[in-house]
Amino acid sequence: MFKNYFPARHFVKTAWRNLIKNKLFSIINISGLAIGIAGCMLIGLYVYNELSYDRFHKNADRLFRATTEYTVNGAKNEGGTTGSMAGVRLSAAFPQIESYVRILNFEPYAVQYGQKTFIENKFLFADSTFFSMFSFPLIEGDATTALNAPNKIVITQSTEKKYFGKEDALGKVLRIAGTTDYIVSGIAQDAPVNSQIKFDFVASFASLPNANHPEWWRGIYATYFLLHNSADASALEKGIPAYMKNQKDVGQQGNDYLIYHLEPITKVHLYSSLDALEPNGNIMYIYILCAIAILILGIACVNYTNLSTALAARRISEIGIRKVLGSVRWQLFWQFIGESLLLNLFAVSLAIVLVIASLPQFNQLVERQLSLTMLMHPLSITLLLLFFCIISFTSGAYPAFILSNLKLIKILKTGFSFSGGSGTLRKSLIVFQFFVSVFLIISTVIILQQMSYIRNKNMGYDKDHVIVLPVDGVMRPDFQSIKEAIKRVPDVVSVSCGTEEPTYIHWDDEVTAGDNASSAPLFVHASPTDIDFVKTMNLHLVAGSDYTLTDWMQMSDTTNPHTSFMLNETLAKALGWTPQEAIGKTIYRGDRNGQKGTVKAVVKDFNFAPLHEPIAPLVIFLDSNYRHVYKIFVKVSGNHLPSTLHALENTWKERVTHRPFQYHFLDENFNTIYHTEQQTAQIFSVFAGVAIILACLGLFALTAYTVVQRTKEIGIRKVLGAGAWQIVLLLSFDFIKLVALASLIAFPVAWLFANKWLQSFAYRINISWWVFAIAATVVLTIAFLTISWQAMKAAMANPVKSLRTE
């Protein structure tokens, strides 16, 4: 007796025979568990990568990012960057700070070596402490001196190969932006994928024109502090407000203030709501993904539990014989647990194959470079083994307990049935499976609806067929002639320029009404541009008139300059004017010592920030010397787009010889703003499909077994005149009721989740009742088709044969 269970060879043989005996159910169990485990592993790889962000730094626990909080006329504002003064002064004033680094990532640069020229987006300027504070190892060069002087630059290994091939890059000269030569002073390893600070080039901060003129308010620098002790962060942050209040050169007025907060570098990526050097993740989405992984795995385990208990009736004879021959309860229990372990071993093996096969597609979905080497880490292997044991025991314990606990006398007298607790549990598990499916479907549909609303919403400007080109310091002196050359390209409708794209205007500024001496400055956003901006972006004027060449000439008059401003409706209202009243009013950009001018027009409100935020006050003004211009906006007809782009490229090569032709469309940048939400919708869609597949696999198997159990009943009903569809409805009704109940339970939960998610948008859809109706209809239809496949086979069977064999 005992040799059938304890020697490994006999144990595996017994378990294998039972799996082979029920091929269909074994295949469904293994494939269902494999899909669930593979989904869990993929999500686990992503979550591990996100949670590990910036933890590779040797001093990660002592590194903090400085963020800015300030008020203007009582209005509170926050930002993820600081002025260049913050690091200098705070590190000198507070002994808790060991070192600081300022990082600037402002614009793409043209980099040239010999005949090779590329536009580089990952181009940083940083203080000399960069490689000492952060753990970006230098393969060549000295970390302490690599950035300690102007015109020194460190490049990564991949960049070295790109520009120099097999040459030694150290000491070579790169030309930046067509004007300045930099000496390669170091070669760094490529930044890890789980770093928010990604770079191909790091140039010395001393190379910047304003490096020796630090300021408090031009918040374009990412500032990081290295503390002597991480525990000092709280005391340091508490001391900053008092210190800043005593700094006379800050320029604070009344009760307004400028202070700084500290964020641990390991928290920035997932927990910060402020902009970073790369788009942040969101810890809420990590929680959602973890919940989805658990739910998907739960469905797979539910399938196993359901099918194992349902198959118990086929093993009554085996259990009875074993008990007659002397088997005790614990021996039977461990036999069934062993079968669960064997089945889960197959499932885990298949899951690993599925992960290997699907990882490239999953990387595209989440836009990460996840590697299977993460699974080879000792911790990952340990967790996978623990995972395997937990799943095996969790999914196998209940069936093993039920089967091993059967009483021999009861088996012999009445057989075995699923009445009572086991039937209730099985029904509850089916409800759980389809609850998850309906919840994911509803959530996915609502997310997709919101994304569709964003894509189709009238933003107040025309983002279609607008080509965006870069502007750098070499181009600005000759910008007007470059603009005129672009305007002459066929199919170009209009050309304008600006500091930022109208999809997201960050520039913070102040406006003061000039007709009231007691008026306080009002916090606004600002956009410097030229006279063709309104026409190019198709903005709507609600009062006043568009800029003209006269306005441009008056602005450019060095002896008696006159400035004209445009306000949006929100700013006009904030100043206490109607659009018509605002025309001709005097305002100052800044306080009363700032740039003075009159209101030329009021533009209809347009969304110049993500739809998460309400429309804020905005002032538009002319930048006569193009000092703040970084973008060219080219409005084209779109009728002959390939030829238009080709003609633009030829014009560019003639007029801009120091950098390659590089462009993107304005609507592409618009789409990147909502990339996280779009990615979430895709992930939800994929795993909603997986949940439905797993639920239907379990339903298919249970239906098949139900048909086998009720073969005699079906035969009798057919003999008595029951039609095929009557048989189908009879077998389907009990399962359909459970699916309908799951839908009703999922409705309020999905509504609460979707409503909370939508609250993050200032402009959002209303949740419609038909979304719930469609989700329930889809799931009920799929469930009915799944059940009908087996039910129809039973209904079409020969009743005489069924009754003879029964």
Side-chain angles (χ1 to χ4, degrees), residues 662-729:
Q662 184 185 50
Y663 72 93
H664 67 268
F665 287 94
L666 186 61
D667 56 359
E668 293 175 355
N669 186 57
F670 176 83
N671 292 332
T672 60
I673 294 173
Y674 306 98
H675 180 70
T676 300
E677 288 79 8
Q678 291 169 345
Q679 191 179 70
T680 301
Q682 291 177 326
I683 292 172
F684 265 64
S685 300
V686 169
F687 286 102
V690 171
I692 292 173
I693 290 171
L694 289 175
C696 288
L697 277 175
L699 195 59
F700 177 84
L702 281 176
T703 306
Y705 193 77
T706 300
V707 167
V708 172
Q709 281 192 312
R710 301 179 70 174
T711 300
K712 185 175 182 179
E713 175 191 348
I714 293 169
I716 294 172
R717 287 181 180 275
K718 291 195 69 175
V719 168
L720 294 176
W725 277 107
Q726 289 176 307
I727 301 297
V728 170
L729 292 175

Side-chain angles (χ1 to χ4, degrees), residues 213-337:
H213 302 284
E215 53 188 322
W216 288 111
W217 287 100
R218 192 166 182 240
I220 59 174
Y221 305 94
T223 301
Y224 292 85
F225 292 113
L226 176 66
L227 305 189
H228 288 288
N229 193 317
S230 59
D232 294 336
S234 178
L236 171 60
E237 188 168 348
K238 289 178 181 177
I240 290 175
Y243 171 80
M244 292 301 298
K245 190 174 182 179
N246 293 324
Q247 303 310 298
K248 304 302 181 184
D249 58 343
V250 175
Q252 303 167 93
Q253 298 179 357
N255 293 323
D256 287 336
Y257 61 84
L258 169 66
I259 61 173
Y260 300 100
H261 298 289
L262 300 179
E263 289 182 341
I265 192 173
T266 55
K267 297 289 186 181
V268 172
H269 179 65
L270 289 178
Y271 293 89
S272 180
S273 59
L274 304 175
D275 290 341
L277 290 171
E278 72 167 21
N280 285 334
N282 191 320
I283 191 62
M284 183 185 75
Y285 291 131
I286 297 299
Y287 293 147
I288 291 172
L289 283 175
C290 288
I292 289 175
I294 292 170
L295 292 174
I296 293 294
L297 187 61
I299 289 176
C301 291
V302 162
N303 276 348
Y304 178 85
T305 303
N306 262 342
L307 290 176
S308 296
T309 53
L311 285 170
R314 287 190 175 184
R315 307 193 65 177
I316 298 305
S317 299
E318 174 196 341
I319 296 167
I321 291 171
R322 290 186 184 279
K323 282 183 172 283
V324 167
L325 294 176
S327 292
V328 294
R329 176 181 172 183
W330 67 267
Q331 292 172 327
L332 292 171
F333 178 86
W334 285 108
Q335 170 63 22
F336 295 125
I337 286 292

Side-chain angles (χ1 to χ4, degrees), residues 202-501:
V202 183
S204 58
F205 196 88
S207 307
L208 292 170
N210 57 349
N212 296 321
H213 302 284
E215 53 188 322
W216 288 111
W217 287 100
R218 192 166 182 240
I220 59 174
Y221 305 94
T223 301
Y224 292 85
F225 292 113
L226 176 66
L227 305 189
H228 288 288
N229 193 317
S230 59
D232 294 336
S234 178
L236 171 60
E237 188 168 348
K238 289 178 181 177
I240 290 175
Y243 171 80
M244 292 301 298
K245 190 174 182 179
N246 293 324
Q247 303 310 298
K248 304 302 181 184
D249 58 343
V250 175
Q252 303 167 93
Q253 298 179 357
N255 293 323
D256 287 336
Y257 61 84
L258 169 66
I259 61 173
Y260 300 100
H261 298 289
L262 300 179
E263 289 182 341
I265 192 173
T266 55
K267 297 289 186 181
V268 172
H269 179 65
L270 289 178
Y271 293 89
S272 180
S273 59
L274 304 175
D275 290 341
L277 290 171
E278 72 167 21
N280 285 334
N282 191 320
I283 191 62
M284 183 185 75
Y285 291 131
I286 297 299
Y287 293 147
I288 291 172
L289 283 175
C290 288
I292 289 175
I294 292 170
L295 292 174
I296 293 294
L297 187 61
I299 289 176
C301 291
V302 162
N303 276 348
Y304 178 85
T305 303
N306 262 342
L307 290 176
S308 296
T309 53
L311 285 170
R314 287 190 175 184
R315 307 193 65 177
I316 298 305
S317 299
E318 174 196 341
I319 296 167
I321 291 171
R322 290 186 184 279
K323 282 183 172 283
V324 167
L325 294 176
S327 292
V328 294
R329 176 181 172 183
W330 67 267
Q331 292 172 327
L332 292 171
F333 178 86
W334 285 108
Q335 170 63 22
F336 295 125
I337 286 292
E339 291 177 16
S340 176
L341 286 167
L342 181 62
L343 187 143
N344 276 276
L345 180 61
F346 290 138
V348 169
S349 302
L350 179 58
I352 293 173
V353 174
L354 291 175
V355 169
I356 295 171
S358 60
L359 188 60
Q361 289 73 28
F362 187 73
N363 277 336
Q364 290 181 358
L365 177 65
V366 299
E367 297 188 348
R368 294 288 188 272
Q369 294 301 315
L370 305 179
S371 171
L372 288 173
T373 54
M374 297 179 184
L375 293 177
M376 304 309 295
H377 191 277
L379 178 61
S380 298
I381 295 173
T382 303
L383 288 175
L384 185 60
L385 290 174
L386 182 63
F387 198 52
F388 164 70
C389 294
I390 291 173
I391 295 172
S392 299
F393 280 90
T394 302
S395 58
Y398 180 77
F401 177 79
I402 292 294
L403 296 175
S404 64
N405 201 37
L406 293 174
K407 302 297 182 183
L408 180 60
I409 295 177
K410 183 179 178 182
I411 294 173
L412 297 175
K413 284 185 176 182
T414 62
F416 178 70
S417 68
F418 294 113
S419 60
S422 62
T424 302
L425 176 66
R426 198 168 65 259
K427 291 176 182 178
S428 300
L429 295 178
I430 292 173
V431 170
F432 167 77
Q433 288 179 307
F434 282 95
F435 159 79
V436 174
S437 301
V438 174
F439 170 80
L440 290 175
I441 289 174
I442 293 172
S443 301
T444 301
V445 171
I446 291 174
I447 293 173
L448 291 173
Q449 278 187 302
Q450 177 66 12
M451 291 299 99
S452 176
Y453 169 78
I454 290 171
R455 284 193 301 271
N456 298 310
K457 184 183 183 299
N458 181 3
M459 306 300 289
Y461 61 90
D462 190 356
K463 63 181 182 293
D464 297 326
H465 300 134
V466 176
I467 300 168
V468 182
L469 302 172
V471 178
D472 59 24
V474 178
M475 298 168 61
R476 289 188 190 102
D478 194 34
F479 180 81
Q480 188 61 41
S481 65
I482 294 172
K483 176 183 174 181
E484 294 301 323
I486 292 173
K487 286 172 69 175
R488 291 193 291 270
V489 172
D491 289 324
V492 169
V493 177
S494 180
V495 181
S496 186
C497 60
T499 301
E500 300 169 291
E501 297 173 34

